[in-house]
Amino acid sequence: MCMTTIYSVPIDADGSLQRFDSIITDFMREQRIPGGSIAVSYNGRVIHRQGYGMTGCGERCLSTSYYRIASISKTITAIALMQLIEQHKLHLNDRIFCRKGKGILKNFKPVGPSVKALERITVQHLLEHSGGWDRETGVDPVYIPPQTVCPLGDQESISPEELLTNYHVNLIQYMIKQKLDFKPGTRHGYSNFGYLVLGHVIEKITGIPYHIYIHDVINKAGDIDLLVYEGDELHRLHPNEVRYFENSDSTHPSILPYHGEIWTMQYGGFHMQGTGSYGGLVASPLQLLTLLSTLDMEHWKGNPILSEESISWMLACPKFGKGSEWYGLGLDVEDEGQTWGHTGYMDGTTTTFRRDKSGYSWVLLFNAGATDQDLDGLIRFALSSLQLSSNLSGLKYMGENVRNFEILSKDGAQVYHILIPLRDVDGLACAMKSKGYYMQDIDLEEYENEYYVNMIWNRNEANVDWFYKIYHNVVIDDSSTEEDMNNHISNGFRIHMLSICTDAMH
């Protein structure tokens, strides 16, 4: 690793989740991962978001930082295709290839030992990874060198730049001449190449380049503006995109013309442009968590991105599936359909997003490859460390017209308040103090242009003296009153931090 990483978290972090955060940062330290970001929700409401470590060059990772999301891109491709099906522009049983030009991709005509099987491949087969290609049986096709798939007649005359530009078209034409690994529709075989083909299907049906079309699709993901885009081999296309690292001292051949040997695979060691459909998209944790939430039919209250029928198709077990776990249409499904999501890995990136049967949903993104890629197990372990996670059965609305929750531990020693309107904090603080509790931690969230506060209270058996204070972007002094600050807030000034003090001398 070429940099020193400090795994500190912002001062406005929710202190009640310090144990959770420390488990994540301990893992990062063990795995030598410089930076990461997370967003967590419960029953559709964001309860924690955090950045850990560094994005590079002294910049901290934030919950709004952008990362390459690797194979999570496949879920977004599947959503786009299901929308086209809802618009009657496409069907799950439509064929992809055909010698007679009747397939969706009419310009690719299969030949060779598997020609009849290739003609049976449908959109659904590719979505569920049953198209006949299996990366576990040999080399993953998307990593075949451009020179290998270039037609023989072009190899001497084509320039290095043209070789890259035509790479994916050449790759598809090359692969439909090869023997398939299994008969389409008979079993699961994970295939990046299958989703590369689906990206070309989207372009053929819509007449729009994949990376442009997908941006429009994601912008329809609800009431919040989202930004998901295709990454680049060398450049950050968004100022908040992180830098990527690898734990290796070896060099690699660059795929880019005239770049020779490179030290980091993630900057020229593999393709990014044109790979959005299977692994090349970039997004932030909050973007992905919002997108994930649109598929949660039980809890999503915003504009739906897909119909319930389409989401049911995505979660359905394929004909050849067995047991309680399977791969649906762009989603890994567990617990007989109650848990689902997707993971991703490439050099410089390890990612996951999951909607768990417990009611939790999460997105965790790292800017380096992890040797231990079980990020969902990591998050479940981190959640199990919280008393909060074992008391969610007591979650209840405190009123009909407010958004806030109260969670009481079984022994009554701790109380959690989530999404309390800022205007109600003073009254609640007085009430809790009179009941014999002190405020252990406080955190601020901005939601739908309003401020809400999350708090954790402990039974005040030691008679701790405490108070809280609001800091904002207005200069204040000892003469400032709470009314002054509230007036500033009501006039549009933004709050920077809430803090708590248990020592009345400070």
Side-chain angles (χ1 to χ4, degrees), residues 322-339:
K322 296 180 181 179
S324 61
E325 300 180 6
W326 58 82
Y327 194 98
L329 306 182
L331 288 170
D332 276 313
V333 184
E334 303 172 12
D335 302 317
E336 298 182 339
Q338 298 182 70
T339 298

Side-chain angles (χ1 to χ4, degrees), residues 93-260:
N93 59 359
D94 283 349
R95 303 286 181 94
I96 306 297
F97 306 111
C98 183
R99 284 170 291 178
K100 298 180 180 180
K102 295 182 179 180
I104 296 173
L105 301 181
K106 296 179 173 61
N107 52 321
F108 296 102
K109 294 180 173 56
V111 295
S114 295
V115 61
K116 291 184 178 179
L118 282 159
E119 290 184 314
R120 287 195 288 267
I121 297 174
T122 66
V123 172
Q124 181 166 346
H125 290 154
L126 297 183
L127 281 169
E128 66 189 16
H129 292 293
S130 69
W133 297 283
D134 188 343
R135 69 174 181 177
E136 301 300 325
T137 63
V139 176
D140 191 330
V142 298
Y143 294 110
I144 297 176
Q147 294 82 359
T148 302
V149 303
C150 181
L152 291 176
D154 296 337
Q155 288 186 356
E156 293 185 1
S157 61
I158 193 169
S159 68
E161 291 82 4
E162 290 174 315
L163 194 65
L164 282 180
T165 301
N166 300 328
Y167 172 59
H168 289 119
V169 171
N170 290 339
L171 177 61
I172 295 175
Q173 192 64 63
Y174 174 85
M175 289 304 299
I176 60 177
K177 297 177 182 178
Q178 313 305 313
K179 184 178 179 180
L180 289 175
D181 298 313
F182 60 93
K183 182 180 177 180
T186 59
R187 71 171 178 87
H188 178 270
Y190 193 87
S191 175
N192 285 314
F193 177 72
Y195 268 77
L196 171 65
V197 174
L198 286 173
H200 283 257
V201 168
I202 290 174
E203 292 186 346
K204 185 68 175 180
I205 296 297
T206 64
I208 302 172
Y210 173 88
H211 68 282
I212 296 176
Y213 180 78
I214 215 69
H215 178 267
D216 293 338
V217 170
I218 300 309
N219 276 340
K220 298 176 182 176
D223 302 320
I224 304 174
D225 290 334
L226 301 179
L227 174 61
V228 176
Y229 59 92
E230 190 174 78
D232 184 84
E233 286 91 352
L234 297 179
H235 306 288
R236 298 190 300 172
L237 300 181
H238 189 283
N240 289 339
E241 184 176 349
V242 301
R243 291 168 175 84
Y244 305 98
F245 299 87
E246 66 173 307
N247 296 307
S248 172
D249 295 326
S250 59
T251 60
H252 318 277
S254 175
I255 64 165
L256 301 173
Y258 320 116
H259 279 240

